[in-house]
Amino acid sequence: MGEGSSGPVAHLAIDGMDPVQQDVDETRTRMRAEFPGWSVWRARRLDGGLGSWCATRDRLLTCEEMFHGLAHTLVCDHLRQLREELVLQAQAEAGLSERESGGVTRPGTCGPGTGSW
């Protein structure tokens, strides 16, 4: 190691916060503000590295919502993809709300004739 190196902790910021984790935390905060009702997080690979970007709704979905394409959790390789999927989910949810307000709805069952999956 060179004279200016601080050894194996050279990647740490002065305050002890890992700059990569700090970027992830800041991104999560921005995404949460942009997409309320979703928790955004970053998965970890088996080797401990950063993995996929994920978003999970803060509430459970109804059978009706799932039937119309709403997802409870999204998993994407890239943040840009996750943002696009969240926009599509918002559009699908808005479309469902419009259908419901217009009186066009499906019965609230999930499974054929059972009322649930």
PDB file of all heavy atoms in Angstrom, residues 57-77:
ATOM      1  N   ARG A  57     -44.891  -2.429  -2.258  1.00  0.00           N
ATOM      2  CA  ARG A  57     -45.977  -1.551  -1.808  1.00  0.00           C
ATOM      3  C   ARG A  57     -46.087  -1.578  -0.284  1.00  0.00           C
ATOM      4  O   ARG A  57     -45.801  -2.584   0.350  1.00  0.00           O
ATOM      5  CB  ARG A  57     -47.309  -1.991  -2.404  1.00  0.00           C
ATOM      6  CG  ARG A  57     -47.425  -1.704  -3.877  1.00  0.00           C
ATOM      7  CD  ARG A  57     -48.829  -2.038  -4.360  1.00  0.00           C
ATOM      8  NE  ARG A  57     -48.891  -2.006  -5.794  1.00  0.00           N
ATOM      9  CZ  ARG A  57     -49.206  -0.933  -6.505  1.00  0.00           C
ATOM     10  NH1 ARG A  57     -49.531   0.186  -5.887  1.00  0.00           N
ATOM     11  NH2 ARG A  57     -49.243  -0.989  -7.825  1.00  0.00           N
ATOM     12  N   ASP A  58     -46.557  -0.478   0.256  1.00  0.00           N
ATOM     13  CA  ASP A  58     -46.743  -0.365   1.703  1.00  0.00           C
ATOM     14  C   ASP A  58     -48.090  -0.916   2.154  1.00  0.00           C
ATOM     15  O   ASP A  58     -48.465  -0.759   3.311  1.00  0.00           O
ATOM     16  CB  ASP A  58     -46.635   1.101   2.139  1.00  0.00           C
ATOM     17  CG  ASP A  58     -45.232   1.650   1.943  1.00  0.00           C
ATOM     18  OD1 ASP A  58     -44.283   0.863   1.826  1.00  0.00           O
ATOM     19  OD2 ASP A  58     -45.098   2.885   1.905  1.00  0.00           O
ATOM     20  N   ARG A  59     -48.808  -1.524   1.240  1.00  0.00           N
ATOM     21  CA  ARG A  59     -50.123  -2.083   1.581  1.00  0.00           C
ATOM     22  C   ARG A  59     -50.344  -3.356   0.784  1.00  0.00           C
ATOM     23  O   ARG A  59     -49.656  -3.611  -0.204  1.00  0.00           O
ATOM     24  CB  ARG A  59     -51.238  -1.083   1.265  1.00  0.00           C
ATOM     25  CG  ARG A  59     -51.368  -0.787  -0.219  1.00  0.00           C
ATOM     26  CD  ARG A  59     -52.518   0.175  -0.534  1.00  0.00           C
ATOM     27  NE  ARG A  59     -52.659   0.400  -1.955  1.00  0.00           N
ATOM     28  CZ  ARG A  59     -53.371  -0.361  -2.775  1.00  0.00           C
ATOM     29  NH1 ARG A  59     -54.010  -1.433  -2.318  1.00  0.00           N
ATOM     30  NH2 ARG A  59     -53.461  -0.077  -4.060  1.00  0.00           N
ATOM     31  N   LEU A  60     -51.292  -4.139   1.223  1.00  0.00           N
ATOM     32  CA  LEU A  60     -51.662  -5.343   0.480  1.00  0.00           C
ATOM     33  C   LEU A  60     -52.600  -4.959  -0.654  1.00  0.00           C
ATOM     34  O   LEU A  60     -53.353  -3.979  -0.545  1.00  0.00           O
ATOM     35  CB  LEU A  60     -52.335  -6.351   1.402  1.00  0.00           C
ATOM     36  CG  LEU A  60     -51.461  -6.895   2.525  1.00  0.00           C
ATOM     37  CD1 LEU A  60     -52.280  -7.822   3.429  1.00  0.00           C
ATOM     38  CD2 LEU A  60     -50.262  -7.642   1.961  1.00  0.00           C
ATOM     39  N   LEU A  61     -52.566  -5.722  -1.724  1.00  0.00           N
ATOM     40  CA  LEU A  61     -53.449  -5.487  -2.855  1.00  0.00           C
ATOM     41  C   LEU A  61     -54.684  -6.359  -2.761  1.00  0.00           C
ATOM     42  O   LEU A  61     -54.639  -7.463  -2.202  1.00  0.00           O
ATOM     43  CB  LEU A  61     -52.714  -5.797  -4.169  1.00  0.00           C
ATOM     44  CG  LEU A  61     -51.521  -4.921  -4.501  1.00  0.00           C
ATOM     45  CD1 LEU A  61     -50.802  -5.463  -5.737  1.00  0.00           C
ATOM     46  CD2 LEU A  61     -51.936  -3.482  -4.719  1.00  0.00           C
ATOM     47  N   THR A  62     -55.755  -5.870  -3.324  1.00  0.00           N
ATOM     48  CA  THR A  62     -56.968  -6.677  -3.418  1.00  0.00           C
ATOM     49  C   THR A  62     -56.848  -7.609  -4.613  1.00  0.00           C
ATOM     50  O   THR A  62     -56.010  -7.409  -5.501  1.00  0.00           O
ATOM     51  CB  THR A  62     -58.213  -5.791  -3.593  1.00  0.00           C
ATOM     52  OG1 THR A  62     -58.120  -5.136  -4.874  1.00  0.00           O
ATOM     53  CG2 THR A  62     -58.337  -4.759  -2.477  1.00  0.00           C
ATOM     54  N   CYS A  63     -57.704  -8.605  -4.658  1.00  0.00           N
ATOM     55  CA  CYS A  63     -57.741  -9.505  -5.811  1.00  0.00           C
ATOM     56  C   CYS A  63     -58.042  -8.719  -7.081  1.00  0.00           C
ATOM     57  O   CYS A  63     -57.463  -8.974  -8.137  1.00  0.00           O
ATOM     58  CB  CYS A  63     -58.801 -10.581  -5.593  1.00  0.00           C
ATOM     59  SG  CYS A  63     -58.410 -11.710  -4.254  1.00  0.00           S
ATOM     60  N   GLU A  64     -58.937  -7.769  -6.978  1.00  0.00           N
ATOM     61  CA  GLU A  64     -59.302  -6.917  -8.113  1.00  0.00           C
ATOM     62  C   GLU A  64     -58.080  -6.177  -8.658  1.00  0.00           C
ATOM     63  O   GLU A  64     -57.856  -6.118  -9.866  1.00  0.00           O
ATOM     64  CB  GLU A  64     -60.374  -5.916  -7.673  1.00  0.00           C
ATOM     65  CG  GLU A  64     -60.794  -4.927  -8.732  1.00  0.00           C
ATOM     66  CD  GLU A  64     -61.753  -5.513  -9.747  1.00  0.00           C
ATOM     67  OE1 GLU A  64     -62.253  -6.614  -9.520  1.00  0.00           O
ATOM     68  OE2 GLU A  64     -61.988  -4.863 -10.765  1.00  0.00           O
ATOM     69  N   GLU A  65     -57.282  -5.616  -7.770  1.00  0.00           N
ATOM     70  CA  GLU A  65     -56.093  -4.880  -8.188  1.00  0.00           C
ATOM     71  C   GLU A  65     -55.081  -5.798  -8.869  1.00  0.00           C
ATOM     72  O   GLU A  65     -54.499  -5.441  -9.903  1.00  0.00           O
ATOM     73  CB  GLU A  65     -55.458  -4.171  -6.996  1.00  0.00           C
ATOM     74  CG  GLU A  65     -56.297  -3.015  -6.485  1.00  0.00           C
ATOM     75  CD  GLU A  65     -55.804  -2.470  -5.162  1.00  0.00           C
ATOM     76  OE1 GLU A  65     -55.362  -3.255  -4.296  1.00  0.00           O
ATOM     77  OE2 GLU A  65     -55.868  -1.241  -5.005  1.00  0.00           O
ATOM     78  N   MET A  66     -54.885  -6.988  -8.305  1.00  0.00           N
ATOM     79  CA  MET A  66     -53.960  -7.937  -8.927  1.00  0.00           C
ATOM     80  C   MET A  66     -54.466  -8.384 -10.288  1.00  0.00           C
ATOM     81  O   MET A  66     -53.697  -8.512 -11.238  1.00  0.00           O
ATOM     82  CB  MET A  66     -53.739  -9.143  -8.012  1.00  0.00           C
ATOM     83  CG  MET A  66     -52.912  -8.799  -6.785  1.00  0.00           C
ATOM     84  SD  MET A  66     -52.507 -10.234  -5.772  1.00  0.00           S
ATOM     85  CE  MET A  66     -54.082 -10.551  -4.990  1.00  0.00           C
ATOM     86  N   PHE A  67     -55.777  -8.598 -10.406  1.00  0.00           N
ATOM     87  CA  PHE A  67     -56.368  -8.998 -11.680  1.00  0.00           C
ATOM     88  C   PHE A  67     -56.085  -7.948 -12.761  1.00  0.00           C
ATOM     89  O   PHE A  67     -55.882  -8.280 -13.919  1.00  0.00           O
ATOM     90  CB  PHE A  67     -57.882  -9.197 -11.519  1.00  0.00           C
ATOM     91  CG  PHE A  67     -58.571  -9.539 -12.802  1.00  0.00           C
ATOM     92  CD1 PHE A  67     -58.550 -10.836 -13.285  1.00  0.00           C
ATOM     93  CD2 PHE A  67     -59.229  -8.563 -13.539  1.00  0.00           C
ATOM     94  CE1 PHE A  67     -59.169 -11.150 -14.487  1.00  0.00           C
ATOM     95  CE2 PHE A  67     -59.844  -8.875 -14.732  1.00  0.00           C
ATOM     96  CZ  PHE A  67     -59.820 -10.170 -15.206  1.00  0.00           C
ATOM     97  N   HIS A  68     -56.059  -6.688 -12.363  1.00  0.00           N
ATOM     98  CA  HIS A  68     -55.827  -5.603 -13.311  1.00  0.00           C
ATOM     99  C   HIS A  68     -54.348  -5.243 -13.471  1.00  0.00           C
ATOM    100  O   HIS A  68     -54.016  -4.204 -14.032  1.00  0.00           O
ATOM    101  CB  HIS A  68     -56.643  -4.371 -12.919  1.00  0.00           C
ATOM    102  CG  HIS A  68     -58.100  -4.527 -13.233  1.00  0.00           C
ATOM    103  ND1 HIS A  68     -58.601  -4.467 -14.510  1.00  0.00           N
ATOM    104  CD2 HIS A  68     -59.161  -4.783 -12.435  1.00  0.00           C
ATOM    105  CE1 HIS A  68     -59.899  -4.659 -14.490  1.00  0.00           C
ATOM    106  NE2 HIS A  68     -60.270  -4.864 -13.238  1.00  0.00           N
ATOM    107  N   GLY A  69     -53.450  -6.089 -12.978  1.00  0.00           N
ATOM    108  CA  GLY A  69     -52.030  -5.941 -13.273  1.00  0.00           C
ATOM    109  C   GLY A  69     -51.189  -5.214 -12.243  1.00  0.00           C
ATOM    110  O   GLY A  69     -50.012  -4.961 -12.481  1.00  0.00           O
ATOM    111  N   LEU A  70     -51.771  -4.875 -11.095  1.00  0.00           N
ATOM    112  CA  LEU A  70     -50.957  -4.232 -10.073  1.00  0.00           C
ATOM    113  C   LEU A  70     -50.085  -5.289  -9.400  1.00  0.00           C
ATOM    114  O   LEU A  70     -50.502  -6.419  -9.182  1.00  0.00           O
ATOM    115  CB  LEU A  70     -51.826  -3.534  -9.031  1.00  0.00           C
ATOM    116  CG  LEU A  70     -52.714  -2.392  -9.544  1.00  0.00           C
ATOM    117  CD1 LEU A  70     -53.353  -1.664  -8.372  1.00  0.00           C
ATOM    118  CD2 LEU A  70     -51.951  -1.430 -10.422  1.00  0.00           C
ATOM    119  N   ALA A  71     -48.864  -4.909  -9.081  1.00  0.00           N
ATOM    120  CA  ALA A  71     -47.903  -5.817  -8.455  1.00  0.00           C
ATOM    121  C   ALA A  71     -47.605  -5.344  -7.039  1.00  0.00           C
ATOM    122  O   ALA A  71     -47.606  -4.150  -6.763  1.00  0.00           O
ATOM    123  CB  ALA A  71     -46.612  -5.852  -9.264  1.00  0.00           C
ATOM    124  N   HIS A  72     -47.358  -6.284  -6.153  1.00  0.00           N
ATOM    125  CA  HIS A  72     -46.999  -5.931  -4.784  1.00  0.00           C
ATOM    126  C   HIS A  72     -45.516  -5.601  -4.675  1.00  0.00           C
ATOM    127  O   HIS A  72     -45.122  -4.686  -3.972  1.00  0.00           O
ATOM    128  CB  HIS A  72     -47.362  -7.069  -3.833  1.00  0.00           C
ATOM    129  CG  HIS A  72     -47.167  -6.712  -2.399  1.00  0.00           C
ATOM    130  ND1 HIS A  72     -46.080  -7.136  -1.677  1.00  0.00           N
ATOM    131  CD2 HIS A  72     -47.883  -5.933  -1.571  1.00  0.00           C
ATOM    132  CE1 HIS A  72     -46.152  -6.643  -0.454  1.00  0.00           C
ATOM    133  NE2 HIS A  72     -47.235  -5.913  -0.367  1.00  0.00           N
ATOM    134  N   THR A  73     -44.682  -6.350  -5.404  1.00  0.00           N
ATOM    135  CA  THR A  73     -43.235  -6.131  -5.382  1.00  0.00           C
ATOM    136  C   THR A  73     -42.693  -6.149  -6.802  1.00  0.00           C
ATOM    137  O   THR A  73     -43.097  -6.978  -7.617  1.00  0.00           O
ATOM    138  CB  THR A  73     -42.529  -7.215  -4.539  1.00  0.00           C
ATOM    139  OG1 THR A  73     -43.018  -7.143  -3.192  1.00  0.00           O
ATOM    140  CG2 THR A  73     -41.021  -7.029  -4.529  1.00  0.00           C
ATOM    141  N   LEU A  74     -41.787  -5.225  -7.074  1.00  0.00           N
ATOM    142  CA  LEU A  74     -41.111  -5.141  -8.369  1.00  0.00           C
ATOM    143  C   LEU A  74     -39.623  -5.392  -8.152  1.00  0.00           C
ATOM    144  O   LEU A  74     -39.057  -4.922  -7.166  1.00  0.00           O
ATOM    145  CB  LEU A  74     -41.293  -3.748  -8.979  1.00  0.00           C
ATOM    146  CG  LEU A  74     -42.731  -3.283  -9.181  1.00  0.00           C
ATOM    147  CD1 LEU A  74     -42.757  -1.802  -9.549  1.00  0.00           C
ATOM    148  CD2 LEU A  74     -43.403  -4.110 -10.264  1.00  0.00           C
ATOM    149  N   VAL A  75     -38.989  -6.110  -9.064  1.00  0.00           N
ATOM    150  CA  VAL A  75     -37.557  -6.384  -8.989  1.00  0.00           C
ATOM    151  C   VAL A  75     -36.961  -6.099 -10.363  1.00  0.00           C
ATOM    152  O   VAL A  75     -37.386  -6.685 -11.361  1.00  0.00           O
ATOM    153  CB  VAL A  75     -37.274  -7.855  -8.596  1.00  0.00           C
ATOM    154  CG1 VAL A  75     -35.780  -8.127  -8.539  1.00  0.00           C
ATOM    155  CG2 VAL A  75     -37.946  -8.193  -7.268  1.00  0.00           C
ATOM    156  N   CYS A  76     -35.984  -5.198 -10.409  1.00  0.00           N
ATOM    157  CA  CYS A  76     -35.361  -4.791 -11.679  1.00  0.00           C
ATOM    158  C   CYS A  76     -33.842  -4.744 -11.521  1.00  0.00           C
ATOM    159  O   CYS A  76     -33.334  -4.435 -10.450  1.00  0.00           O
ATOM    160  CB  CYS A  76     -35.860  -3.412 -12.105  1.00  0.00           C
ATOM    161  SG  CYS A  76     -37.645  -3.363 -12.399  1.00  0.00           S
ATOM    162  N   ASP A  77     -33.156  -5.010 -12.618  1.00  0.00           N
ATOM    163  CA  ASP A  77     -31.699  -4.981 -12.592  1.00  0.00           C
ATOM    164  C   ASP A  77     -31.141  -3.576 -12.459  1.00  0.00           C
ATOM    165  O   ASP A  77     -30.071  -3.379 -11.895  1.00  0.00           O
ATOM    166  CB  ASP A  77     -31.123  -5.621 -13.858  1.00  0.00           C
ATOM    167  CG  ASP A  77     -31.323  -7.130 -13.886  1.00  0.00           C
ATOM    168  OD1 ASP A  77     -31.401  -7.741 -12.797  1.00  0.00           O
ATOM    169  OD2 ASP A  77     -31.400  -7.684 -14.989  1.00  0.00           O
TER     170      ASP A  77
END
